[in-house]
């Protein structure tokens, strides 16, 4: 049986997953983590909810960000280095909770933004800056259009549950966001299904994905 140590994950992340009771990596984790740790290659993962897909991208993302210094945004705060887009606020909150749980022994900062709640606390947090931002597309664009968000320092972009994102009609928002992040970045796409629409999105977004 493969272990998290064997996958090359930082000891501080293993400590955190140990405490959560994770013994062995799941299949998607075994496949995704070594590839994502290694390089800057784009990645497409086919996995349903419940397979451990969140840790499959959050663990290598945290590992990589912990090895370099935070960027600066145009407001003088911490620049966003990883942007995770999710279709729903429930999923956004869940993913950001995973980021905090797995990253509890690292010095990285994160926050979550989504619609349907007041903007002010989100804006205050964003201005101070975070290394990792988890967001739903609508609220993200809203803040960006008000000049409250700086996406110019993004190094890693994750589209989580991309098929649901398309089903929910977020394709135009996603495309707008893609135009706001640097061209030179690593992009990861996770989806439970691999339809023609997902294939097309992947073709547009990903360069020679693994
Ligand atoms: P997800 O598919 O990302 O929604 O994860 C489903 C559930 O599996 C979550 O409650 C995680 O905490 C849990 N989980 C993720 N990875 C592991 C693992 N390697 N061992 C045990 N549980 C895990």
């Amino acid at each position: 049986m493969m272990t998290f140590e064997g996958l090359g994950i930082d000891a501080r992340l293993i400590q955190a997953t140990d405490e959560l009771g994770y013994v062995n990596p799941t299949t998607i984790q075994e496949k995704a983590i070594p590839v994502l740790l290694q390089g800057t290659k784009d990645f497409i993962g086919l996995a349903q909810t419940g397979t451990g897909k969140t840790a499959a991208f959050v663990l290598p993302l945290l590992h990589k960000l912990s090895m370099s210094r935070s960027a600066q945004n145009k407001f003088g705060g911490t620049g966003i280095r990883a942007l995770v887009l999710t279709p729903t606020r429930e999923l956004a909150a869940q993913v950001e909770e995973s980021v905090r749980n797995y990253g509890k022994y690292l010095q990285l900062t994160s926050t979550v933004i989504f619609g349907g709640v007041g903007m002010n606390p989100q804006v205050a947090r964003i201005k101070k800056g975070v290394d990792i931002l988890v967001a739903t597309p609508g609220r993200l664009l809203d803040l960006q259009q008000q000049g409250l968000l700086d996406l110019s320092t993004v190094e890693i972009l994750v589209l989580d549950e991309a098929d649901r994102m398309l089903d929910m009609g977020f394709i135009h928002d996603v495309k707008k966001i893609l135009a706001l992040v640097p061209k030179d970045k690593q992009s990861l796409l996770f989806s439970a299904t691999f339809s023609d629409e997902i294939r097309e999105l992947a073709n547009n977004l990903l360069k020679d994905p693994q």
Side-chain angles (χ1 to χ4, degrees), residues 83 85 137 140-141 151 172-181:
L83 173 63
L85 296 179
L140 183 85
L141 276 177
L151 296 175
H172 293 294
D173 285 350
V174 169
K175 283 188 173 158
K176 280 187 204 160
I177 293 166
L178 293 183
L180 296 169
V181 293

Side-chain angles (χ1 to χ4, degrees), residues 196-209:
D196 286 347
E197 286 80 12
I198 288 292
R199 225 178 279 267
E200 194 198 321
L201 179 67
N203 281 340
N204 283 328
L205 170 68
L206 307 174
K207 279 173 276 182
D208 187 22

Side-chain angles (χ1 to χ4, degrees), residues 4 22-26 29 48-55 94 102:
F4 283 103
Y22 299 5
V23 180
N24 300 107
T26 65
Q29 290 164 8
Q48 317 232 324
T49 303
T51 55
K53 70 171 167 63
T54 312
Q94 227 174 293
Y102 302 150

